[in-house]
Structure formats: C-alpha cells, structure tokens
Amino acid sequence: MARGLLIVVSGPAGSGKGSVLGRVFEKSSDFVYSVSATTRDPRPGEVDGVQYHFKTKEEFERLISEDAVVEHTFYCGNYYGTLRPVIEKDLQEGRNVVLEIEVDGAMQIKKKFPEAVLILVVPPDFATLEARLRGRGTNTEEDILNRLARSKEELAIFDKYDYLIVNEDNMLDSAADKFIGIIESEKLSTIHNPDFYNKFYNE
Ligand code: 5GP
C-alpha cells in the first residue's frame, strides 16, 4: 500500500489555519489530524487525547529520550511535539497525516522527511492580521504586539515552505479547496509515486 502523505501546516496566530483545517476535515475524509503532545495546561474545554496529549515536563523529556518525538519545540514556556507512534501507523496504512505545528518544528520535519509537504497559511496582508488579532478581544496589548512581532519572524522564512495559502476574510471554502487541490496534485507527483516503475513491470 502507498504510504500516506505527511503534511505540515503552519501560520501565524491570526492566519486562520485552524479554521481552514476545520473546513478541510469537513469536506474530505482523506486526512487525519496528528494530536501533538504538550506540557502546557489544558484550556477550558480541552480534552486529553483530543486537542493534545497533555504531559508533564518529565514525561515529555522521557519521550524525547526514547526517540518517540519526531520534532519538538519549546514555545512560550512549554514543550510541544509530534509523537512518532501517532503518525507512523497512519502513514503506513496510507492515510495523509496533517501536523499543525509552528515553524521551528516544521523545519525539523523538512530535514527528517524531505518528502513532507509544507504549507503556510497567511492572512492577505499585515493590516488584516492585526485586525484579526485585535478582533479576538481576549488578548492584552502586550500579547498582541508579541504575536505580531513573532509573525514577522515566522513569515521571514516563508520560502522554506512548498505552498502558500492566502486565507482571505470570509473565504474559508476557497482556502480549504486550495489545500485539498494541493494534496491532490502532490499525490500525482513522481516523488510520491516511487514504486510506479516496479509496479508497471511487476518487478
Ligand atoms: P497552542 O498553545 O495555542 O495550542 O499552540 C501554540 C503553538 O504551538 C501553535 O503555533 C501550534 O501550531 C504549535 N504546536 C502545536 N503542536 C505542536 C507540535 O507538535 N510541534 C510544534 N513544533 N508546534 C506545535
């Protein structure tokens, strides 16, 4: 069976990457979401094993030492990482696995899995990004300025990603269709069909 695609999705806070992915999952059953591990506390409503696998710092460090974490980062005082057993089984069974992770982790995946498809979700322009962050109404001014500064750093390496999806206001469907279209094309690429020749000649 053909191995599934490993898909990395990043985007600054306010890019709407979570909403785009939500719409992708509604439209297509071709994807599974990789539930990451983190040491941050669950937010109200978050359930262990659904949004994240919540771990203590000691547990997380033990997983790293056992090589059970394929990429990880330390972000805003907490560990976040992708668990190898979570993604390996699905990939082997031919399912496309989506990692929603920040840029540091994305670059680690690119190194370890050169065949991974890296997608960056971005707002149409800076003014929209700022308006979205302010519109949430739940963040302090300091928090907003921090996130805007971090987005500048994140977007500086946009060209390390394979694809950009511009997520315009009120255009979620269009962004989700672009995502699905990218993956359909990738599935036809020669790099993702390495056994074509052998199969063709039954070798
Ligand atoms: P939050 O605390 O808001 O859920 O996530 C904070 C950031 O961590 C987001 O940018 C999110 O994409 C990123 N993140 C979540 N899981 C992982 C992971 O497994 N690895 C990495 N590198 N980043 C992650």
Side-chain angles (χ1 to χ4, degrees), residues 8-20:
V8 171
V9 181
S10 307
S15 63
K17 62 180 185 301
S19 308
V20 173

Side-chain angles (χ1 to χ4, degrees), residues 9 14-28 121-124 132 165-181:
V9 181
S15 63
K17 62 180 185 301
S19 308
V20 173
L21 286 179
R23 189 58 61 90
V24 167
F25 282 92
E26 276 167 28
K27 282 176 171 256
S28 168
V121 179
V122 295
R132 285 183 188 170
I165 295 181
V166 178
N167 182 25
E168 309 266 359
D169 285 345
N170 309 313
M171 298 286 280
L172 262 194
D173 259 321
S174 155
D177 288 342
K178 283 178 189 152
F179 182 100
I180 292 167

Side-chain angles (χ1 to χ4, degrees), residues 115-133:
E115 74 288 0
V117 183
L118 272 66
I119 300 177
L120 187 64
V121 179
V122 295
D125 47 51
F126 184 79
T128 308
L129 176 64
E130 189 169 3
R132 285 183 188 170
L133 288 178

Side-chain angles (χ1 to χ4, degrees), residues 13 16 49-50 60 65 82 89 171 182 191:
V50 178
F60 200 102
S65 71
T82 302
K89 182 166 183 289
M171 298 286 280
I182 288 167
I191 188 176

Side-chain angles (χ1 to χ4, degrees), residues 30-159:
D30 247 18
F31 304 98
V32 290
Y33 187 84
S34 157
V35 178
S36 295
T38 185
T39 58
R40 84 150 161 73
D41 291 332
R43 294 184 187 134
E46 285 185 337
V47 176
D48 188 35
V50 178
Q51 284 80 15
Y52 285 103
H53 298 286
F54 293 100
K55 306 280 178 197
T56 63
K57 189 163 170 276
E58 292 68 35
E59 285 169 336
F60 200 102
E61 287 172 350
R62 186 171 47 78
L63 289 167
I64 295 174
S65 71
E66 290 169 350
D67 197 29
V69 181
V70 283
E71 64 71 35
H72 72 279
T73 194
F74 201 69
Y75 177 91
C76 296
N78 285 298
Y79 282 119
Y80 291 82
T82 302
L83 298 173
R84 191 182 301 282
V86 167
I87 64 167
E88 260 316 314
K89 182 166 183 289
D90 281 317
L91 289 173
Q92 266 172 23
E93 291 174 2
R95 284 182 286 274
N96 304 315
V97 176
V98 178
L99 312 185
E100 184 185 347
I101 61 179
E102 50 68 64
V103 294
D104 179 27
M107 294 305 109
Q108 295 172 45
I109 293 288
K110 189 180 160 101
K111 245 195 201 153
K112 278 197 189 157
F113 303 89
E115 74 288 0
V117 183
L118 272 66
I119 300 177
L120 187 64
V121 179
V122 295
D125 47 51
F126 184 79
T128 308
L129 176 64
E130 189 169 3
R132 285 183 188 170
L133 288 178
R134 291 189 183 286
R136 286 179 179 176
T138 50
N139 300 325
T140 62
E141 183 65 19
E142 188 192 354
D143 194 38
I144 290 169
L145 294 178
N146 275 338
R147 282 164 193 261
L148 288 174
R150 183 165 166 97
S151 74
K152 193 165 185 194
E153 281 169 33
E154 289 172 340
L155 297 184
I157 59 161
F158 77 95
D159 57 352

